[in-house]
Amino acid sequence: MKALAHLSPKSGSISLIASPRRYFILYLQALPIWLILILLNCQFTLSKFNFTWNLTSWYLTLCYATFPLAVVLLSHLRASWPRHPHPMTQAPTPRASIYAAGLPLMPLRDYTVQHEHWLPRLLGNLGKFTFAPLILLAYVLWHAFS
């Protein structure tokens, strides 16, 4: 499996090299988000549906185009962060459901099992999708002025 990104030790810059399969999968993940947001941008009236293409639609298309680059960049930056062990790593964690007024209050992520729930991943992808151009712009400006 190819690396998500490559950090050059001399310049400190990141080249966004990933397999074409990885980019294809990321574009497929972003396609439903893009379609739903484009449809929510349209005008709905009682008798008809008006498809509109405006500045918001162009921004959403730019977000769709830059989403894989931002995901690869953020995954590389997250992998390069120094990891410090949490002082409470040995603390026992409850495995049973916690109920309040009959409603289950389960955490969004179970830290005892190595899997991820769908809601945090969906919200993370929505945030990365929405701010993908800004993430890339901030990274380019950060490297330009540092």
Side-chain angles (χ1 to χ4, degrees):
M1 185 172 169
K2 294 183 181 179
L4 291 178
H6 179 266
L7 179 64
S8 173
K10 292 182 182 177
S11 66
S13 65
I14 295 175
S15 63
L16 298 174
I17 299 172
S19 67
R21 181 176 178 260
R22 175 74 174 147
Y23 280 112
F24 181 71
I25 289 170
L26 288 171
Y27 276 120
L28 285 180
Q29 285 179 356
L31 187 62
I33 297 172
W34 180 74
L35 288 174
I36 290 169
L37 291 177
I38 288 290
L39 288 176
L40 286 176
N41 188 37
C42 295
Q43 296 175 355
F44 298 100
T45 59
L46 292 176
S47 61
K48 63 180 181 176
F49 168 77
N50 293 327
F51 183 77
T52 57
W53 193 265
N54 54 15
L55 191 59
T56 305
S57 302
W58 281 111
Y59 179 74
L60 291 173
T61 304
L62 178 65
C63 291
Y64 178 73
T66 58
F67 175 74
L69 297 172
V71 169
V72 169
L73 175 69
L74 289 176
S75 66
H76 174 74
L77 290 175
R78 178 172 289 158
S80 66
W81 286 343
R83 297 188 184 205
H84 302 290
H86 194 271
M88 297 294 290
T89 56
Q90 302 299 328
T93 57
R95 293 185 183 265
S97 300
I98 301 170
Y99 288 91
L103 299 174
L105 297 175
M106 293 299 293
L108 293 177
R109 182 172 180 184
D110 186 8
Y111 293 101
T112 61
V113 182
Q114 295 298 323
H115 72 277
E116 208 172 291
H117 294 278
W118 62 273
L119 184 60
R121 187 169 182 170
L122 177 68
L123 293 176
N125 279 344
L126 182 64
K128 289 174 195 171
F129 180 85
T130 306
F131 299 111
L134 301 175
I135 291 169
L136 292 175
L137 181 64
Y139 180 74
V140 167
L141 290 175
W142 178 58
H143 259 290
F145 293 113
S146 64

